[in-house]
């Protein structure tokens, strides 16, 4: 039977094998939710980069630049890391360079996997359906916060385990823990997350609307997949 | 307000500060439960060591040798890592050298803290009472399993957070997650743990009795504390 495992932060990635495995990266507040939204609204590709400077270089080559550092937009860039930024006609067909605090790091760390997919609650069922149809094991990689675990990405992992559990084995406790937390919180994720560290940070920044949006399940039938160093939309 | 935080595995310890902090190490199945039991039955000290060979050297100097590798006893040693081994008159006043897969590693990694305490469900309230009376922040360090998180140590962390939460702040999601899992499972920890990876391993080894024992709360008013390179019983 295929196996699904959960890596609670990129700091633990070296403990997981990547061969024969599809990695699903989640940074639900807000990088991967932005990416999924961007593809749902027709961007051509997204190149995840590590630094603001690298983002500027791509901007000079005609990419739209999107960046966040500590949950705030960077001066001079076209896009910030609110998913609502990507809901506009002007982004259709465009190339985007995006750097985020945690999500980009998680994606670039996963390159040796069979495939790297971008997951969020917004495309949960699209991801689950695809993984069920593939012969590979699955590793959900939570982007976390500066190396530490966070509740929202863990809940996404639990939601994906929940959708997969009749088709996959869970070998490790992290998958079990994520699934149990999701079971406990799924009826009202927003209030379940109310005391989490990231929600407290984001609420100080006044982006409650983003949070509510990012917690919606199955809004888009879109799967961003890493090809070379760019994310593109998988043909479904 | 003082702060309580949870480190889900020693692999994440570098992300936590240790200054002004008391570390509570938990490896509840079974190293730290053994240590607490041993002190409750009157051992003089326990020296946690990294390797079987080091354990043998202490044995030659008159220590009782206790070891487990992959949850099995080592040949030629007086004690294994079942807590029931320590419930005998012959251990009173003795010195013990103990090496375990995960617990020893977690203890030795914590040496730079203000104090390192050994925690288990068996001495939960003794630990909680002591920490409430001290001016320091608290970090619960889960020993985990070969670097990965495990459910049982996380549940202990959650239990300690539960006893401390009116006196301490939790800043990080790991503490919140541990507490939520404990809330969900506390009415029947044994069945809550039934699908965890360690329980499945231990059940194959036929030590159900140890598991049931290790999950009992507040059995002993004992706190093992690291002094130099040995654990001794704190004067209460």
């Amino acid at each position: 039977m295929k196996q699904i495992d959960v890596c609670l932060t990129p700091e633990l990635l070296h403990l997981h094998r990547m061969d024969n495995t599809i990695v699903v990266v989640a940074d639900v507040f807000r990088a991967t939710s932005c990416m999924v939204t961007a593809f749902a609204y027709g961007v051509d590709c997204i190149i995840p980069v590590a630094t603001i400077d690298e983002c500027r270089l791509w901007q000079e080559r005609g990419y739209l630049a999107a960046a966040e550092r500590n949950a705030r937009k960077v001066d001079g860039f076209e896009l910030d890391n609110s998913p609502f930024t990507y809901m506009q006609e002007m982004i259709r067909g465009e190339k985007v360079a995006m750097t985020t605090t945690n999500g980009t790091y998680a994606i670039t760390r996963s390159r040796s996997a069979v495939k790297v997919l971008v997951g969020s609650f917004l495309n949960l069922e699209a991801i689950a359906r695809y993984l069920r149809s593939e012969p590979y094991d699955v590793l959900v990689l939570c982007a976390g916060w500066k190396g530490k675990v966070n509740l929202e990405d863990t809940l996404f992992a639990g939601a994906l385990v929940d959708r997969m559990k009749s088709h996959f084995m869970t070998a490790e406790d992290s998958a079990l823990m994520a699934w149990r937390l999701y079971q406990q919180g799924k009826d009202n994720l927003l209030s379940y997350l109310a005391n989490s560290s990231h929600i407290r940070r984001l609420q100080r920044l006044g982006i409650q609307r983003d949070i509510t949006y990012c917690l919606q399940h199955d809004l888009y039938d879109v799967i961003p997949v890493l090809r070379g160093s760019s994310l593109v939309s998988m043909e479904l």
Side-chain angles (χ1 to χ4, degrees), chain A residues 6-16 105-106 109 140-150 153-154:
Chain A
V6 173
C7 181
L8 293 173
T9 136
E11 295 284 321
L12 299 176
L13 196 58
H14 61 285
L15 301 169
H16 294 268
Y105 178 70
R109 285 286 310 277
V140 190
L141 174 56
C142 301
W145 181 261
K146 298 182 179 176
K148 295 187 177 179
V149 304
N150 72 28
D153 295 335
T154 304

Side-chain angles (χ1 to χ4, degrees), chain A residues 18 21-25 35 39 44-49 96 98 103-119 123 127 130 141 222-235:
Chain A
M18 299 271 222
T21 298
I22 296 179
V23 173
V24 180
V25 175
M35 289 166 175
F39 283 109
D44 178 60
C45 68
I46 299 175
I47 185 157
V49 298
V96 175
M98 186 189 288
T104 300
Y105 178 70
I107 290 168
T108 53
R109 285 286 310 277
S110 307
R111 286 200 167 124
S112 62
V114 171
K115 276 196 174 71
V116 180
L117 312 182
V118 166
N123 68 337
I127 294 267
Y130 176 75
L141 174 56
V222 158
I223 303 178
V225 57
L226 193 64
R227 186 183 297 158
S229 53
S230 281
L231 295 164
V232 297
S233 192
M234 189 184 283
E235 303 274 341

Side-chain angles (χ1 to χ4, degrees), chain A residues 43-116:
Chain A
V43 298
D44 178 60
C45 68
I46 299 175
I47 185 157
V49 298
T51 65
I52 301 283
D53 285 345
E54 217 180 327
C55 221
R56 285 212 178 86
L57 288 175
W58 288 102
Q59 194 183 27
E60 289 163 13
R61 293 178 219 172
Y63 281 61
L64 301 179
E68 164 235 335
R69 276 297 176 272
N70 299 313
R72 288 176 187 282
K73 182 178 168 178
V74 174
D75 287 345
F77 283 19
E78 289 84 6
L79 301 162
D80 65 17
N81 286 71
S82 165
F84 291 99
T85 308
Y86 299 86
M87 297 176 188
Q88 42 179 327
E89 192 52 38
M90 64 84 94
I91 70 158
R92 183 166 302 279
E94 293 289 335
K95 295 171 192 298
V96 175
M98 186 189 288
T99 174
T100 69
T101 316
N102 307 291
T104 300
Y105 178 70
I107 290 168
T108 53
R109 285 286 310 277
S110 307
R111 286 200 167 124
S112 62
V114 171
K115 276 196 174 71
V116 180

